[in-house]
Amino acid sequence: QEISLSPTGKPADRSAKRSRASAPWMAPRRDDEPDAQVIWEPDVWRILALLLPLGKRAMGTRVCRAWRDAALEDGLDYGVATLCCALAGPEGVGKVLDAIEEARDKGQGHARIETVEGFLDHHRSVWDAFSSPYSWVKIAMCCPVARGGWIGQGARRIRFEHRWETCELGWTQLHLAVATGDADGVR
């Protein structure tokens, strides 16, 4: 017999009806419900994506197939997003280096490990300088394809709203246009 737990840690009563208003994450969803489909429309997704922090957008792709499809179509790169969030986190580069060692011990992802190590080595001087995942996304945008490969390409596809007043790098619209290759924005 399978026992599932509610968010409080108590066994969940599957027979009880739950209203979406009281606990929307607990209510069963059907794919044919109109409100379940509308969130994944490209225009609605773009609005939601700008409101959600990068880490939450990335985590959602692991939980919901429709979310993942909308996020990938919009340009979210899960690997780059999670790397940038980890680098900006409380343990920062140390956490990423530990994950690299663990993957190496398991014999996983050799090519990706080398790319991440090259990225970290090149940016060693700023390891502890940034607390925002978006700062790391911007740094990754500047990676040449030869050195950063999937990191630079994935970062350039990630959609985010640039907030000039809180940018840790001090970037202007011109910096962002150059990093993304927006020739019209540079003009």
Side-chain angles (χ1 to χ4, degrees):
Q1 179 181 5
E2 182 180 353
I3 297 174
S4 69
L5 299 178
S6 69
T8 62
K10 297 178 183 174
D13 180 9
R14 294 247 182 243
S15 63
K17 298 275 184 186
R18 292 181 181 89
S19 76
R20 242 188 218 160
S22 64
W25 61 90
M26 298 292 284
R29 274 221 185 262
R30 293 182 10 224
D31 287 339
D32 60 346
E33 288 184 89
D35 61 335
Q37 293 299 323
V38 83
I39 240 177
W40 313 120
E41 294 295 323
D43 293 339
V44 176
W45 166 254
R46 285 187 186 106
I47 293 168
L48 288 174
L50 291 176
L51 296 174
L52 291 171
L54 184 60
K56 300 292 183 191
R57 280 190 278 163
M59 285 188 322
T61 64
R62 306 294 273 188
V63 176
C64 176
R65 184 175 305 166
W67 181 305
R68 183 195 69 217
D69 293 345
L72 293 176
E73 184 178 317
D74 192 45
L76 182 73
D77 184 298
Y78 179 79
V80 174
T82 54
L83 173 64
C84 292
C85 288
L87 289 170
E91 297 173 36
V93 175
K95 183 177 181 178
V96 174
L97 292 174
D98 290 345
I100 286 173
E101 286 306 313
E102 185 177 322
R104 183 175 280 125
D105 290 344
K106 293 179 181 178
Q108 299 172 335
H110 180 69
R112 286 180 83 89
I113 287 173
E114 285 183 356
T115 304
V116 172
E117 286 178 326
F119 175 76
L120 292 175
D121 189 49
H122 184 73
H123 299 290
R124 184 177 297 275
S125 64
V126 295
W127 276 9
D128 298 324
F130 306 114
S131 61
S132 168
Y134 299 108
S135 295
W136 283 103
V137 169
K138 292 172 197 169
I139 290 169
M141 284 178 169
C142 297
C143 281
V145 174
R147 183 182 11 221
W150 62 271
I151 297 175
Q153 291 173 356
R156 283 186 281 281
R157 287 192 308 264
I158 292 176
R159 179 187 304 272
F160 63 95
E161 183 178 351
H162 183 71
R163 293 190 173 97
W164 316 108
E165 64 280 354
T166 59
C167 178
E168 293 176 314
L169 297 169
W171 277 23
T172 65
Q173 182 68 34
L174 179 61
H175 291 97
L176 193 60
V178 170
T180 59
D182 178 13
D184 291 334
V186 172
R187 290 184 193 125

